C-alpha cells in the first residue's frame, strides 16, 4: 500500500470547489483483505481514533460492497476517512473527500482531500496510510508521535497574524 502520485489542485477543479490534494493510492492487486480483516481494522481504528467519522464522497456515495471480493474500495475509503480525521485533529475542519477507482488500473484509487494547507493534507494522508498499514499487519503504531509531528507541520504552515501597534 503506497501513494504513487500526488498533485496539488488550486481553486475549483474537477473534483472539488476548493483547493485539494489529488493522490493515487496503490493497494496492490488483488487487495488481500477479507471482510473479517476490514472489521478488525475498523475496531482497531475506533480504539486509536475515537473521533473517526464515516467518510462521505463529494460525488455520490458508492456502496461499500461494489468490490466486495478484494475490499479495495472499502480500504481506500477508510484511509481517506482516517486522513480527514487526522487533518481535523490539527484544527482544520475538512469534512469530506472523494475516493474512486482509477479506470483500467485494478488496485489503484484516486483520493481527493480538500485543504487549507497542502503540506498538512499531504502529511495527514501519509500518516493515515502508515497507521492503516500497521494496524492491518497487527503491529503497534505510535500515533501520538505522528500526531505531534502533524500538528507541528500545521503550526509551522499556519499563516502568521500581523501584530498591530496602537499608537498611544
Amino acid at each position: 500500500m503506497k501513494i504513487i502520485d500526488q498533485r496539488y489542485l488550486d481553486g475549483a477543479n474537477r473534483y472539488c470547489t476548493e483547493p485539494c490534494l489529488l493522490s493515487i493510492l496503490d493497494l496492490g492487486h488483488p487487495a488481500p483483505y477479507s471482510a473479517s480483516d476490514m472489521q478488525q481494522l475498523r475496531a482497531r481504528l475506533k480504539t486509536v481514533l475515537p473521533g473517526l467519522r464515516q467518510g462521505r464522497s463529494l460525488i455520490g456515495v458508492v456502496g461499500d460492497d461494489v468490490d466486495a471480493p478484494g475490499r479495495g474500495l472499502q480500504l481506500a475509503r477508510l484511509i481517506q476517512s482516517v486522513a480527514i480525521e487526522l487533518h481535523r485533529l490539527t484544527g482544520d475542519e475538512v469534512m469530506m473527500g472523494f475516493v474512486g477507482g482509477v479506470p483500467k488500473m485494478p488496485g489503484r484509487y484516486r483520493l481527493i482531500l480538500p485543504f487549507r494547507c497542502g503540506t498538512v493534507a499531504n502529511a495527514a494522508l501519509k500518516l493515515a496510510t502508515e497507521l492503516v498499514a500497521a494496524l492491518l499487519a497487527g503491529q503497534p503504531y505510535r500515533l501520538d508521535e505522528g500526531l505531534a509531528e502533524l500538528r507541528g507541520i500545521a503550526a509551522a504552515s499556519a499563516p502568521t497574524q500581523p501584530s498591530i501597534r496602537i499608537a498611544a
Side-chain angles (χ1 to χ4, degrees), residues 98-149:
F98 168 78
V99 176
V102 176
K104 299 181 182 180
M105 299 185 109
R108 290 190 178 177
Y109 296 87
R110 191 176 288 125
L111 279 66
I112 305 298
L113 183 61
F115 63 78
R116 286 194 191 127
C117 175
T119 307
V120 176
N122 183 23
L125 185 56
K126 181 179 183 244
L127 181 58
T129 55
E130 290 173 0
L131 173 62
V132 168
L135 293 178
L136 272 170
Q139 299 172 343
Y141 190 82
R142 299 291 310 235
L143 183 59
D144 52 342
E145 291 175 7
L147 263 175
E149 185 178 333

Side-chain angles (χ1 to χ4, degrees), residues 151-167:
R151 287 181 175 135
I153 292 168
S157 303
T160 56
Q161 299 294 328
S163 58
I164 299 174
R165 290 187 166 218
I166 300 175

Side-chain angles (χ1 to χ4, degrees), residues 36-101:
S36 173
D37 292 334
M38 293 302 294
Q39 188 175 11
Q40 289 174 6
L41 175 61
R42 283 187 175 94
R44 289 179 191 135
L45 282 169
K46 284 182 183 177
T47 301
V48 222
L49 286 173
L52 186 64
R53 301 178 226 170
Q54 180 67 26
R56 293 289 175 245
S57 172
L58 290 172
I59 306 173
V61 176
V62 180
D64 280 346
D65 296 333
V66 168
D67 67 341
R71 304 283 185 261
L73 181 61
Q74 287 183 43
L75 184 56
R77 288 180 68 197
L78 194 54
I79 290 169
Q80 176 77 349
S81 295
V82 170
I84 288 171
E85 175 64 8
L86 293 171
H87 200 163
R88 187 189 70 75
L89 290 172
T90 68
D92 199 353
E93 275 300 316
V94 176
M95 297 303 289
M96 57 176 90
F98 168 78
V99 176

